[in-house]
Amino acid sequence: MKSWQCDLVPVLPGNGLPLRLFDTATREIRPTAPGKTATMYVCGITPYDATHIGHAATYVAFDVLQRCWRDSGHDVKYVQNVTDIDDPLLERAVALGEDWRTIAERETEVFREDMSALNVIPPADYIGAVEAIPSVADHVGRLQELGAVYSVENDLYFSVHSDPQFGSITQLSEAQMVAEFAERGGDPERAGKRHPLDCLVWQAARPNEPAWDTHVGYGRPGWHIECVAIALDYLGMPIDVQGGGSDLAFPHHEMGASEAQVLRSSWPYARHYVHTGMVAWQGHKMSKSRGNLVFVSHLRRDGVDPLAIRLALLAHHYRKDWAWTQEGLSAAVERLARWRAATAVSSGPSAAPLLARVRELLSDDMQTPTALDAIDHWVSEASSNGGSDMGAPSQVAKLCDGLLGVRLA
Ligand code: 5CA
Ligand code: ZN
């Protein structure tokens, strides 16, 4: 699938520090990416309503992660999917009286434009679930050969306990797993399943629903196996970072990891499981199903600078849940203007200590709020006392762009 464009990422003097990140599975901040090429898979949108601020916060967080890796000398291989066939998309198509493909194409295009405006580095491979169907069928077939799949009517289920490590990422109790599975698209109660937590890998065709003819049946992919097939095809295993919002930790990442671990008879699927906090609005998590959404495209249409949106997102630590507010956006608009004014002149206080400080903060689990404060401090020094370092303002602008993706010029 076509991805999107972003500006060239400036290369900064010297090298960033090795990135340490919180890992959901081990619940600690640990060093990432041992190899020269770092690999990252971030779960993409289900394109029936894009792009809300929660999506934007998640993809901007992983964009900062990628910038940190590049700054510390890694090449980055980044892959993302688009869940362009799934129940919510089909339900929306019925509600709007539109073809599901038309909705998916339209919303994916809005997402591309928003990502580009937010200066998010595009994935090297941007893969739709529909285009991955032959691969999904191959992976389901392989799981069948391994004895990890059984059928209920004509639907195919993965036995999650065929992976001895199942449950080790989120470490939830059985009761919690069953409850979250039911809440997030699972079917723990379905009769005929061997275990309530077993998950669908292939759904047989339903009347009036799209279906594909494959060697594992006429139907469509289950959700988790879609991401696993794409990640294994384009990145291999282990992935350095499997990313997404915290709403994906269970069941999506837990079940996907088990599928991959059985497929490859190896562990772990990912070295780090990295999860962003949920952005709320009007008192609830921003979600398509609830409909309490603030769209990036609407803000842009109303004349809001997308880089001010980016700054408003970066003012919150990526792992925390937080609420979007008009005040937060206004503060970001003002901050962006102050940064632009201070970096538009020819001299200022030295940029080197600021670069070192921002690198230090980002390398320690991406502390963007304090990194923004450090830049604020340089900006207020520059505005009140000036400074004699020729070129420092443009170096600071480069730093803001290279590490935080906030273009000032
Ligand atoms: N297509 C699947 C992943 S394979 C999916 O979850 N799509 S989504 O459109 O619902 O979400 C896309 C990404 O945005 C996911 O990583 C999800 O965790 C994240 N996300 C969704 N809502 C929020 C929110 N309110 N705050 C932060 N991140 C969110
Ligand atoms: Zn996914």
Side-chain angles (χ1 to χ4, degrees):
M1 210 180 241
K2 173 168 75 82
S3 123
W4 59 88
Q5 306 287 318
C6 90
D7 290 342
L8 218 60
V9 180
V11 177
L12 304 171
N15 256 325
L17 300 166
L19 176 63
R20 297 163 53 78
L21 278 181
F22 185 84
D23 168 31
T24 302
T26 52
R27 302 179 190 190
E28 60 180 359
I29 296 174
R30 296 192 291 108
T32 58
K36 166 74 179 152
T37 300
T39 57
M40 174 161 77
Y41 184 92
V42 179
C43 284
I45 55 162
T46 305
Y48 67 95
D49 240 348
T51 315
H52 64 64
I53 286 291
H55 296 143
T58 290
Y59 298 111
V60 163
F62 289 101
D63 187 59
V64 171
L65 193 166
Q66 164 153 205
R67 285 165 191 269
C68 291
W69 268 346
R70 287 176 173 226
D71 185 51
S72 61
H74 290 286
D75 298 326
V76 181
K77 182 123 203 300
Y78 175 32
V79 176
Q80 189 179 128
N81 68 307
V82 186
T83 308
D84 57 359
I85 179 69
D86 203 1
D87 296 342
L89 187 58
L90 298 176
E91 285 157 19
R92 181 59 59 94
V94 171
L96 296 181
E98 273 189 293
D99 189 284
W100 60 277
R101 282 164 291 216
T102 312
I103 300 173
E105 276 164 29
R106 180 176 64 227
E107 298 301 323
T108 305
E109 188 52 28
V110 172
F111 179 71
R112 290 188 189 99
E113 285 164 11
D114 289 336
M115 289 298 107
S116 199
L118 291 168
N119 202 25
V120 171
I121 302 170
D125 296 291
Y126 191 45
I127 311 294
V130 171
E131 64 185 316
I133 284 174
S135 166
V136 170
D138 287 347
H139 285 88
V140 172
R142 179 81 193 118
L143 284 172
Q144 268 177 328
E145 284 161 22
L146 291 166
V149 160
Y150 61 90
S151 56
V152 178
E153 291 155 289
N154 288 322
D155 296 333
L156 301 181
Y157 279 84
F158 170 66
S159 296
V160 289
H161 291 95
S162 55
D163 173 28
Q165 302 289 342
F166 174 71
S168 62
I169 301 168
T170 48
Q171 298 160 45
L172 301 174
S173 69
E174 178 93 3
Q176 284 171 316
M177 288 198 276
V178 169
E180 294 212 4
F181 189 46
E183 230 173 77
R184 295 174 177 167
D187 53 2
E189 312 245 300
R190 181 167 181 187
K193 282 173 61 173
R194 293 185 192 159
H195 190 284
L197 291 170
D198 290 345
C199 60
L200 200 62
V201 282
W202 189 260
Q203 177 172 304
R206 305 281 194 268
N208 304 318
E209 283 193 2
W212 288 263
D213 200 10
T214 73
H215 60 92
V216 293
Y218 183 59
R220 60 183 165 100
W223 174 28
H224 320 307
I225 194 71
E226 160 200 341
C227 284
V228 167
I230 296 170
L232 292 180
D233 283 349
Y234 290 88
L235 295 172
M237 199 175 137
I239 315 168
D240 283 309
V241 164
Q242 157 71 77
S246 58
D247 57 339
L248 298 187
F250 195 91
H252 187 49
H253 291 164
E254 190 79 70
M255 293 185 172
S258 285
E259 289 168 354
Q261 284 154 189
V262 169
L263 277 162
R264 291 290 165 98
S265 308
S266 80
W267 178 91
Y269 175 53
R271 294 193 172 103
H272 263 78
Y273 295 89
V274 178
H275 292 113
T276 51
M278 290 292 109
V279 183
W281 196 53
Q282 297 176 330
H284 296 276
K285 171 197 155 184
M286 219 179 261
S287 75
K288 288 178 283 205
S289 47
R290 186 177 278 272
N292 57 330
L293 305 174
V294 176
F295 290 105
V296 171
S297 52
H298 292 188
L299 292 173
R300 290 169 52 218
R301 185 192 60 199
D302 295 344
V304 178
D305 187 325
L307 296 172
I309 302 174
R310 186 163 172 128
L311 259 188
L313 305 176
L314 294 173
H316 302 270
H317 188 252
Y318 78 94
R319 275 200 284 130
K320 287 214 176 105
D321 294 340
W322 58 282
W324 175 257
T325 61
Q326 181 54 45
E327 295 73 40
L329 177 59
S330 304
V333 168
E334 283 166 26
R335 187 176 233 168
L336 186 64
R338 283 198 307 274
W339 288 16
R340 285 199 165 131
T343 54
V345 296
S346 54
S347 69
S350 169
L354 177 63
L355 175 59
R357 179 72 184 137
V358 171
R359 276 176 165 158
E360 185 189 350
L361 291 167
L362 294 183
S363 71
D364 180 18
D365 202 28
M366 301 201 293
Q367 297 183 50
T368 57
T370 30
L372 302 195
D373 292 344
I375 297 167
D376 278 346
H377 185 72
W378 182 93
V379 164
S380 66
E381 284 281 296
S383 322
S384 48
N385 305 326
S388 57
D389 195 333
M390 296 298 287
S394 73
Q395 287 160 17
V396 170
K398 230 170 132 179
L399 171 174
C400 294
D401 188 356
L403 293 176
L404 297 167
V406 179
R407 239 184 355 248
L408 297 178

